[in-house]
Amino acid sequence: FTLLGDQPEFGEDDPLDFKRVASDLTRLILASRDRTPFSVGIKGDWGAGKSSLMRRVDRQLADHKEVVRVWFNAWTSERGDTLEGLIKSVLSEIDPNILRRKARNKKFITGLRVFTTLAAGPLRSSNIVDALWERASLDPKARNQLRDLLEDTMNEWLKQTPRGSDSRLLVVFVDDLDR
C-alpha cells in the first residue's frame, strides 16, 4: 500500500507509471512541429497525476535545444487576467530584442516610452510586454495591432533556429486549469 500526495512528481521515480505515455506524448509533440498550432489536453480527476505527466514530458523536451518550454499556472491568475498572464508568460521567453524591434517598426510604442522601457530593462522582456499590454488595454484599435505584432514577433523568433538543430518549437504547459 502506497500513499501518494498531491504534489507533482519531479524526480526520476515513476510511481504513476507514466514513462511510456510521456515518451509517446513527447514524440507526438516533436512530430507536430510543422503542423502547429497543435494542442494536447490531459484530462483526469484531481490528483490523477496530470501535472506529473506534464513535468515528465517537460523533462524529455529539455533534451532538445530548439524547444522552448513555457509553464503557465492558470490558478495563479487574477480573476479575468488568465489570457494576459498566459500571453505575458510566453512573451517573457521570447528574445526581447525581437519584440522591441517589432514594436518600434510597427510604431506600437514610440518616442519616450520606447526609450524609458529600453532603459528600464534592456535585457528583460517584461517591461516591454507590460507596456504593450497597457497600450492594448487602453486603446481598442491597439488590440488588433498587438495581435499583428505578436504574430510577426513569433514568426521572426521561429526563424532563429539554433545551429545544427531542427526548427524551433514553442511548447506551452498550462497547469491547474481546472482549479
Side-chain angles (χ1 to χ4, degrees), residues 108 132-133 135-150:
F108 198 90
L132 291 169
W133 197 266
R135 167 107 188 267
S137 67
L138 297 175
D139 180 7
K141 182 180 163 187
R143 289 185 195 120
N144 290 332
Q145 292 173 326
L146 179 61
R147 186 195 65 218
D148 294 341
L149 171 69
L150 297 178

Short mmCIF file of all heavy atoms in Angstrom, two decimals, residues 108 132-133 135-150:
data_model
loop_
_atom_site.label_atom_id
_atom_site.label_comp_id
_atom_site.label_asym_id
_atom_site.label_seq_id
_atom_site.Cartn_x
_atom_site.Cartn_y
_atom_site.Cartn_z
N PHE A 108 4.17 50.76 -32.50
CA PHE A 108 3.23 50.42 -31.43
C PHE A 108 3.58 51.19 -30.17
O PHE A 108 2.72 51.66 -29.45
CB PHE A 108 3.26 48.91 -31.17
CG PHE A 108 2.06 48.42 -30.44
CD1 PHE A 108 0.94 47.99 -31.13
CD2 PHE A 108 2.03 48.39 -29.06
CE1 PHE A 108 -0.17 47.53 -30.46
CE2 PHE A 108 0.93 47.94 -28.38
CZ PHE A 108 -0.18 47.52 -29.08
N LEU A 132 3.31 47.11 -23.79
CA LEU A 132 2.45 46.74 -24.91
C LEU A 132 1.05 46.40 -24.43
O LEU A 132 0.05 46.81 -25.02
CB LEU A 132 3.05 45.55 -25.66
CG LEU A 132 4.33 45.79 -26.44
CD1 LEU A 132 4.94 44.47 -26.89
CD2 LEU A 132 4.07 46.70 -27.62
N TRP A 133 0.98 45.62 -23.36
CA TRP A 133 -0.32 45.20 -22.85
C TRP A 133 -1.12 46.40 -22.33
O TRP A 133 -2.32 46.49 -22.54
CB TRP A 133 -0.15 44.16 -21.74
CG TRP A 133 -1.42 43.43 -21.51
CD1 TRP A 133 -2.39 43.72 -20.60
CD2 TRP A 133 -1.90 42.32 -22.25
NE1 TRP A 133 -3.44 42.85 -20.71
CE2 TRP A 133 -3.16 41.97 -21.72
CE3 TRP A 133 -1.39 41.57 -23.30
CZ2 TRP A 133 -3.91 40.91 -22.21
CZ3 TRP A 133 -2.13 40.51 -23.79
CH2 TRP A 133 -3.38 40.20 -23.24
N ARG A 135 -0.92 49.49 -23.35
CA ARG A 135 -1.41 50.25 -24.52
C ARG A 135 -2.62 49.57 -25.13
O ARG A 135 -3.61 50.21 -25.47
CB ARG A 135 -0.28 50.39 -25.53
CG ARG A 135 -0.73 50.87 -26.89
CD ARG A 135 -0.32 52.30 -27.17
NE ARG A 135 -0.94 52.75 -28.40
CZ ARG A 135 -0.38 52.68 -29.59
NH1 ARG A 135 0.83 52.20 -29.73
NH2 ARG A 135 -1.02 53.11 -30.66
N ALA A 136 -2.57 48.24 -25.27
CA ALA A 136 -3.68 47.49 -25.88
C ALA A 136 -4.93 47.54 -25.00
O ALA A 136 -6.04 47.55 -25.51
CB ALA A 136 -3.26 46.06 -26.14
N SER A 137 -4.73 47.58 -23.69
CA SER A 137 -5.90 47.60 -22.81
C SER A 137 -6.59 48.96 -22.80
O SER A 137 -7.77 49.06 -22.49
CB SER A 137 -5.50 47.19 -21.38
OG SER A 137 -4.67 48.17 -20.81
N LEU A 138 -5.87 50.01 -23.16
CA LEU A 138 -6.44 51.35 -23.16
C LEU A 138 -7.02 51.76 -24.50
O LEU A 138 -7.88 52.63 -24.56
CB LEU A 138 -5.37 52.37 -22.74
CG LEU A 138 -4.81 52.20 -21.33
CD1 LEU A 138 -3.68 53.20 -21.09
CD2 LEU A 138 -5.90 52.37 -20.29
N ASP A 139 -6.54 51.16 -25.57
CA ASP A 139 -6.91 51.57 -26.92
C ASP A 139 -7.44 50.38 -27.70
O ASP A 139 -6.68 49.48 -28.04
CB ASP A 139 -5.68 52.16 -27.62
CG ASP A 139 -5.95 52.62 -29.03
OD1 ASP A 139 -7.11 52.62 -29.47
OD2 ASP A 139 -4.96 53.00 -29.71
N PRO A 140 -8.76 50.35 -28.00
CA PRO A 140 -9.33 49.21 -28.73
C PRO A 140 -8.64 48.95 -30.07
O PRO A 140 -8.47 47.81 -30.47
CB PRO A 140 -10.79 49.59 -28.92
CG PRO A 140 -11.07 50.62 -27.90
CD PRO A 140 -9.78 51.33 -27.65
N LYS A 141 -8.25 50.01 -30.76
CA LYS A 141 -7.56 49.84 -32.05
C LYS A 141 -6.21 49.16 -31.86
O LYS A 141 -5.75 48.39 -32.70
CB LYS A 141 -7.38 51.22 -32.70
CG LYS A 141 -6.73 51.18 -34.05
CD LYS A 141 -6.61 52.60 -34.59
CE LYS A 141 -5.62 52.64 -35.73
NZ LYS A 141 -5.36 54.01 -36.17
N ALA A 142 -5.59 49.42 -30.73
CA ALA A 142 -4.27 48.84 -30.46
C ALA A 142 -4.34 47.33 -30.25
O ALA A 142 -3.34 46.64 -30.43
CB ALA A 142 -3.65 49.51 -29.25
N ARG A 143 -5.50 46.80 -29.89
CA ARG A 143 -5.62 45.35 -29.69
C ARG A 143 -5.35 44.58 -30.98
O ARG A 143 -4.66 43.57 -30.97
CB ARG A 143 -6.99 45.00 -29.14
CG ARG A 143 -7.17 45.45 -27.72
CD ARG A 143 -8.49 45.01 -27.13
NE ARG A 143 -8.70 45.78 -25.93
CZ ARG A 143 -9.71 46.58 -25.70
NH1 ARG A 143 -10.67 46.70 -26.60
NH2 ARG A 143 -9.81 47.25 -24.58
N ASN A 144 -5.88 45.09 -32.09
CA ASN A 144 -5.61 44.45 -33.37
C ASN A 144 -4.15 44.60 -33.75
O ASN A 144 -3.54 43.69 -34.31
CB ASN A 144 -6.50 45.02 -34.48
CG ASN A 144 -7.94 44.60 -34.29
OD1 ASN A 144 -8.22 43.55 -33.72
ND2 ASN A 144 -8.86 45.42 -34.78
N GLN A 145 -3.59 45.75 -33.47
CA GLN A 145 -2.18 45.97 -33.74
C GLN A 145 -1.32 45.03 -32.90
O GLN A 145 -0.32 44.51 -33.37
CB GLN A 145 -1.79 47.42 -33.44
CG GLN A 145 -2.41 48.42 -34.38
CD GLN A 145 -2.12 49.84 -33.92
OE1 GLN A 145 -2.04 50.13 -32.73
NE2 GLN A 145 -1.98 50.75 -34.89
N LEU A 146 -1.73 44.80 -31.67
CA LEU A 146 -0.99 43.90 -30.79
C LEU A 146 -1.00 42.48 -31.35
O LEU A 146 0.01 41.79 -31.36
CB LEU A 146 -1.56 43.92 -29.38
CG LEU A 146 -0.88 42.99 -28.37
CD1 LEU A 146 0.59 43.32 -28.19
CD2 LEU A 146 -1.61 43.05 -27.02
N ARG A 147 -2.16 42.04 -31.84
CA ARG A 147 -2.25 40.71 -32.44
C ARG A 147 -1.28 40.58 -33.60
O ARG A 147 -0.54 39.60 -33.71
CB ARG A 147 -3.68 40.43 -32.91
CG ARG A 147 -3.86 39.00 -33.41
CD ARG A 147 -5.11 38.82 -34.19
NE ARG A 147 -4.98 39.62 -35.40
CZ ARG A 147 -5.97 40.29 -35.97
NH1 ARG A 147 -7.16 40.28 -35.46
NH2 ARG A 147 -5.77 40.99 -37.06
N ASP A 148 -1.25 41.58 -34.49
CA ASP A 148 -0.33 41.55 -35.63
C ASP A 148 1.12 41.58 -35.17
O ASP A 148 1.97 40.87 -35.72
CB ASP A 148 -0.60 42.72 -36.57
CG ASP A 148 -1.96 42.63 -37.24
OD1 ASP A 148 -2.54 41.52 -37.28
OD2 ASP A 148 -2.44 43.68 -37.71
N LEU A 149 1.39 42.39 -34.16
CA LEU A 149 2.74 42.48 -33.61
C LEU A 149 3.20 41.14 -33.05
O LEU A 149 4.31 40.69 -33.30
CB LEU A 149 2.78 43.56 -32.52
CG LEU A 149 4.07 43.63 -31.69
CD1 LEU A 149 5.21 44.14 -32.54
CD2 LEU A 149 3.85 44.50 -30.48
N LEU A 150 2.32 40.49 -32.31
CA LEU A 150 2.67 39.20 -31.71
C LEU A 150 2.91 38.15 -32.79
O LEU A 150 3.83 37.34 -32.69
CB LEU A 150 1.58 38.75 -30.75
CG LEU A 150 1.36 39.64 -29.54
CD1 LEU A 150 0.21 39.10 -28.68
CD2 LEU A 150 2.62 39.80 -28.73
#
